[in-house]
Amino acid sequence: MSELRAMQRLCGLMRKAVQDYEMLRPGDRVLVGVSGGKDSVALTMGLALLRDYIGFDYEIQAVTLDPQFGGEAADYTALEALFGAAGIPYEIRRTDIGPVVFDYRKEKNPCALCAKLRRGALHTAAQELGCNKVALGHHLDDAIETFYMNLWREGRIGCFSPVTYLSRRDLTLIRPMLLATEAEVTAAIREEGYPIVKSRCPADGATVREETKDFVRERCRTDHAFRQKTLHALQESGIDGWRPLHTGRGSFVIK
């Protein structure tokens, strides 16, 4: 048997997450927020490929909200070409998020405000484009880091949810890659040669999350099952909707 390709494995893990947490239904129109980084690009292409194996159809609409850091528009032509070849509708929306956060407000801790503004703009785009769901590119490492950040910084046990319904917006947020590790996402991007657009955020690489990433990497070096143990704890506890609705349903391998 030939070795499973990285993108096949990623799509398989996405299918398992979609099935276990009932993330998608026939006829859904899904907005994918594409920052240009590896996670959002892998998510977009994975959702497009998954339609061939999931057993029902849904629509995908990719959108990039350019923060225009430094007051300059970023170049997303490589993504336009990639999504165009894959038949994925793609729209770029230029915003003033970068200048507002770093130039006008001069935030000392810019990540929270930036995330809030991007979140609002993404939800608005979904409504304007007639989408009922928004797919986010969080993977397993993101979930683990969020869990420990909440524990250490806020003294609470919690994480983002696999599926979240926003009643005020009538939108459902889904995270189809939450069973895949960051390494598995990276492997898929490299194997397929998908282009990425590097973030020009002035705070990139200097956040509390980066410190938590270092902790997780160190723990995984000494305990190779660290990620899976944390995932098991999240699922068994059922906090924030992490208990699977359909455990063991289907295979995680796409051939």
Side-chain angles (χ1 to χ4, degrees):
M1 179 182 293
S2 60
E3 184 178 351
L4 192 67
R5 292 178 60 82
M7 196 64 198
Q8 288 177 302
R9 177 168 177 78
L10 177 61
C11 285
L13 290 167
M14 289 174 64
R15 181 175 68 174
K16 180 169 175 54
V18 165
Q19 292 176 333
D20 284 357
Y21 294 99
E22 295 185 353
M23 293 184 181
L24 294 172
R25 296 177 182 273
D28 277 344
R29 181 167 169 79
V30 185
L31 182 94
V32 188
V34 183
S35 66
K38 67 181 188 312
D39 301 336
S40 60
V41 172
L43 173 64
T44 306
M45 297 304 293
L47 282 173
L49 294 169
L50 192 59
R51 287 183 294 190
D52 294 334
Y53 304 95
I54 201 69
F56 57 84
D57 195 25
Y58 52 86
E59 297 180 66
I60 301 171
Q61 170 68 57
V63 171
T64 290
L65 302 173
D66 181 9
Q68 299 197 101
F69 293 119
E72 297 182 1
D75 182 5
Y76 297 100
T77 52
L79 296 184
E80 288 180 301
L82 174 67
F83 298 150
I88 302 171
Y90 179 48
E91 180 176 308
I92 301 170
R93 296 190 172 197
R94 309 293 180 181
T95 76
D96 293 323
I97 293 175
V100 166
V101 173
F102 290 99
D103 301 330
Y104 307 145
R105 295 282 295 268
K106 300 184 185 300
E107 289 284 321
K108 293 182 179 179
N109 299 300
C111 296
L113 177 60
C114 185
K116 181 179 180 180
L117 295 175
R118 289 168 74 110
R119 194 161 50 240
L122 189 65
H123 298 168
T124 297
Q127 291 177 307
E128 291 176 353
L129 293 168
C131 298
N132 66 312
K133 291 186 176 174
V134 176
L136 304 176
H138 297 118
H139 45 63
L140 180 57
D141 287 66
D142 290 324
I144 293 170
E145 292 156 15
T146 299
F147 174 80
Y148 286 108
M149 286 172 64
N150 287 337
L151 181 63
W152 295 335
R153 293 179 62 81
E154 301 178 24
R156 67 181 180 90
I157 295 176
C159 187
F160 54 69
S161 301
V163 178
T164 305
Y165 177 64
L166 306 177
S167 58
R168 291 186 179 182
R169 294 273 193 170
D170 193 24
L171 290 172
T172 299
L173 309 184
I174 61 174
R175 294 175 166 88
M177 294 200 307
L178 60 78
L179 298 182
T181 65
E182 183 173 16
E184 287 168 324
V185 173
T186 300
I189 287 288
R190 288 177 176 171
E191 182 180 82
E192 299 298 325
Y194 292 147
I196 61 173
V197 179
K198 183 173 176 54
S199 172
R200 295 188 292 116
C201 173
D204 193 34
T207 64
V208 173
R209 183 168 291 274
E210 286 300 319
E211 297 175 7
T212 312
K213 277 181 178 290
D214 291 339
F215 164 79
V216 172
R217 291 192 193 103
E218 181 59 32
R219 291 294 299 132
C220 289
R221 274 195 287 268
T222 58
D223 180 1
H224 297 312
F226 180 73
R227 288 186 181 89
Q228 292 305 315
K229 287 177 180 177
T230 307
L231 172 61
H232 180 74
L234 286 168
Q235 293 181 325
E236 286 299 303
S237 67
I239 60 172
D240 297 324
W242 274 84
R243 190 181 301 281
L245 301 173
H246 300 286
T247 54
R249 176 180 171 184
S251 168
F252 71 89
V253 174
I254 290 178
K255 299 180 179 179

